[in-house]
Amino acid sequence: MPFDPKLAQYNSSLALSSPRDPRLAFVMLPDFRPDPNSTRIELFASVVAAQEGRVRSAGSGSGNPLLAGFVFDMFCSALMGTAAEFGVPAYVFSPPNATFLGFVFHVQKLHDEERVDTTELPDSVGELAVPCLTRPVPRWALPDVVADKVWLPIMLGHTRRIREAKGILVNTFRELESYALDSMGGDDCIPPIYPVDDVAYDDDRTNEIFRWLDDQPDSSVVFLCFGTMGTFGEDQVREIAYGLEQSGHRFLWVLRRPPSDHEPKSNISTDYDDLIDILPEGFSDRTVEAGRVVGWAPQKAILAHKAIGGFVSHCGWNSILESLWFAVPIAAWPMYAEQQLNAFQLVVELELATEMKLSYRMKGENDMIVSASEIERGIRRLMEEGMEKRVKWEEMSEMARKTLMVSGSSFSSTGRFVRDFLG
Ligand SMILES: O=c1ccn([C@@H]2O[C@H](COP(=O)(O)OP(=O)(O)O[C@H]3O[C@H](CO)[C@@H](O)[C@H](O)[C@H]3O)[C@@H](O)[C@H]2O)c(=O)[nH]1
């Protein structure tokens, strides 16, 4: 069944209006309609500004006399003031990982104390040493939020404010990022960090994709998926199609449409009405046995399927965690946000993933099209790599699962957070 945002919203509203635990009460904030001309960056700021008053009235409503504190996303740091007005503690949740968090704290310190502007690092500097990684970060791996002149002041503002939080929950597990976590643990100007990842897994196999996957041999299918916003122009779509075809490997490709010229610039990707319009002529017929091209698909259930042998990913942090959880090796194709840094961490620092597009960024040619022959080579490297790497992914998967068991690191960290929160 294709992803239907309206249905998804309906289902989540239903879950929220009848929570399973009577101690939970959800308050839905009204829909926010952004200015159709606003960019994604403007959208981020305007959503929080518009909802702040509503959060305040929800918090002071007669149904909430026992408000104990706030937990909000790092990009909602404006709510620090709202929590202070209520006289309750504010905790921040970081969907990106601990390395990114340590990275932005360090950049903000460099900026405020040493007047270093990361958007203007001269070519001669080449790389940036940061306390949260064992290796210096090359310029190509700098996240957009510190390399882009529009993003940097916004990120610095959030980073300064979240230093005032009582604690920061981070979407990660200790065993994966102990170096970054320890680097922040010794800094008195950074709030206590709670690593609390949890790959919530809903085994949604209703999609017809699973009937096809069930018929494929174990570890034979390469899965390509680029998150909630990753889209390509027609030229790149064509190269991916030919690369897949030439690789000779089976594939499952999630292909989504960018907003068109007359749609709001802040829109995220959507499904194509008909994929035939974008794929090269004859591609679907020629690959009818070998693969499937689909719109939004249940990624976690797909990664969990035994037919999946490799994942070409944009390196969004949730995708990386999910891939580790299901022990599916990644070929890194970072696109935007902090994905370059995540890819650097996976490929260079942890030596876990192979690379698909990093070399372009290294040559400062991020917008260049990756050719079909490079895609073919990347897929072969990913799908034909030795047991040694696969064993490493299996070990990471086991480690990730143990963290959620009683007395596992994420389990204990969540308990510590609840105790600290309730004081
Ligand atoms: O067809 C799809 C596409 C995505 N997903 C799910 O959507 C989520 C995508 O999350 P993520 O991999 O983190 O990518 P983005 O949506 O791009 O996430 C944004 O937020 C992340 C966490 O902060 C950052 O790491 C990314 O760079 C940023 O783009 C994952 O749970 C996927 O399983 C699906 O189920 N089906």
Side-chain angles (χ1 to χ4, degrees), residues 95-96 225 228 254 296-297 299 314 316-319 322 336-339:
C225 188
T228 47
V254 174
W296 180 275
Q299 177 170 297
H314 72 315
W317 186 242
N318 293 299
S319 293
E322 291 162 16
Y336 48 86
E338 89 305 12
Q339 292 151 20

Side-chain angles (χ1 to χ4, degrees), residues 192-252:
I193 308 279
Y194 304 86
V196 292
D197 80 305
D198 181 2
V199 177
Y201 174 48
D202 177 13
D203 189 17
D204 167 15
R205 288 173 49 98
T206 49
N207 198 301
E208 67 95 11
I209 293 167
F210 292 96
R211 278 195 287 282
W212 179 76
L213 279 178
D214 287 346
D215 289 339
Q216 310 308 315
D218 288 2
S219 304
S220 68
V221 177
V222 57
F223 176 50
L224 298 88
C225 188
F226 302 89
T228 47
M229 291 181 272
T231 59
F232 300 101
E234 266 177 54
D235 290 352
Q236 185 64 80
V237 168
R238 196 174 46 241
E239 295 300 310
I240 298 177
Y242 290 141
L244 282 170
E245 211 176 334
Q246 286 158 19
S247 79
H249 282 283
R250 292 176 170 83
F251 63 86
L252 176 58

